[in-house]
Amino acid sequence: KQEVTQIPAALSVPEGENLVLNCSFTDSAIYNLQWFRQDPGKGLTSLLLIQSSQREQTSGRLNASLDKSSGRSTLYIAASQPGDSATYLCAVSTGNQFYFGTGTSLTVIP
Amino acid sequence: DAGVIQSPRHEVTEMGQEVTLRCKPISGHNSLFWYRQTMMRGLELLIYFNNNVPIDDSGMPEDRFSAKMPNASFSTLKIQPSEPRDSAVYFCASRRGGVETQYFGPGTRLLVL
């Protein structure tokens, strides 16, 4: 069974700092990997989706990379802002199944 | 578009009662997913529909849980009888095509006393 791990579980950084969130998965046979943001008491908002054939995707200050062979993905957030404070989850798709990590809780301190 | 719509947003019920959660996917999306999120287990996929047909229900915890999708614009997740351990946030998500991103609803917070 696919297992998805996110490290660290929590991260606190000062405003303006660049940061990297990590996601690892045990089975490299994936269709795609997706990064989500979840605000307290809210649903998940998709940030970036990387197909298995792709190496990275960028959206604004966010850049996600995928190394399928090593079972790793990173989410890079540039020039962090207090509004970036949320829980970030990665999810891998193996076709009909979707596996989520437990998330990294990010706090950006003004 | 209004996004994925879920109702109710909050539900408090007593053990043994029937609970029905509802979801309206985004128009034009042909896949629908039901998830459960708890502190202990994180986000788990319960069941997945494609073109209104259940494709994979291996995540449904037990026979007390059932899900239906009678048409492309409506799905229900029913728990009968409910138990305190069913307390969680239940999310519905939809997507278009096989490789598109999933769009999540706001969730239903269920508390079973």
Side-chain angles (χ1 to χ4, degrees):
Chain A
K1 179 184 173 183
Q2 179 79 262
E3 292 187 5
V4 182
T5 304
Q6 291 188 246
I7 295 173
L11 180 64
S12 184
V13 300
E15 181 177 2
E17 191 163 297
N18 302 327
L19 60 100
V20 174
L21 307 180
N22 297 294
C23 173
S24 61
F25 47 94
T26 54
D27 187 346
S28 62
I30 66 171
Y31 280 16
N32 60 53
L33 182 144
Q34 197 163 356
W35 282 94
F36 292 88
R37 167 185 174 140
Q38 185 173 27
D39 292 285
K42 300 291 180 63
L44 280 68
T45 301
S46 178
L47 298 173
L48 292 164
L49 182 145
I50 311 176
Q51 304 294 352
S52 62
S53 59
Q54 298 175 322
R55 296 288 298 214
E56 66 178 337
Q57 283 285 339
T58 298
S59 176
R61 296 182 293 107
L62 306 180
N63 175 276
S65 68
L66 174 64
D67 184 342
K68 205 172 65 165
S69 61
S70 68
R72 294 181 181 181
S73 175
T74 61
L75 179 66
Y76 175 84
I77 302 177
S80 58
Q81 303 171 357
D84 295 331
S85 298
T87 297
Y88 291 80
L89 297 99
C90 68
V92 298
S93 168
T94 57
N96 293 338
Q97 278 296 329
F98 300 85
Y99 301 92
F100 280 78
T102 50
T104 294
S105 177
L106 172 66
T107 301
V108 180
I109 304 168
Chain B
D1 199 315
V4 175
I5 299 173
Q6 291 187 246
S7 65
R9 293 293 309 277
H10 302 273
E11 178 81 28
V12 180
T13 190
E14 293 187 346
M15 183 173 64
Q17 296 297 307
E18 176 179 297
V19 175
T20 300
L21 310 181
R22 298 173 176 80
C23 176
K24 177 179 170 57
I26 293 173
S27 177
H29 285 194
N30 63 342
S31 297
L32 184 140
F33 309 83
W34 281 101
Y35 290 91
R36 177 172 67 176
Q37 187 175 39
T38 61
M39 289 293 293
M40 291 296 295
R41 301 174 67 89
L43 201 62
E44 303 173 285
L45 177 65
L46 300 177
I47 188 169
Y48 156 42
F49 291 87
N50 194 42
N51 294 322
N52 312 338
V53 176
I55 301 299
D56 191 325
D57 65 355
S58 59
M60 296 285 264
E62 48 198 272
D63 292 344
R64 297 185 297 106
F65 285 69
S66 62
K68 295 182 179 180
M69 192 164 187
N71 56 62
S73 60
F74 184 66
S75 177
T76 60
L77 178 67
K78 185 176 293 186
I79 308 173
Q80 167 64 17
S82 58
E83 297 182 3
R85 60 191 168 124
D86 301 330
S87 298
V89 181
Y90 291 81
F91 288 104
C92 175
S94 70
R95 76 174 181 190
R96 180 177 53 207
V99 294
E100 298 285 335
T101 188
Q102 292 187 50
Y103 294 85
F104 278 72
T108 295
R109 294 186 172 276
L110 173 65
L111 177 61
V112 183
L113 302 174

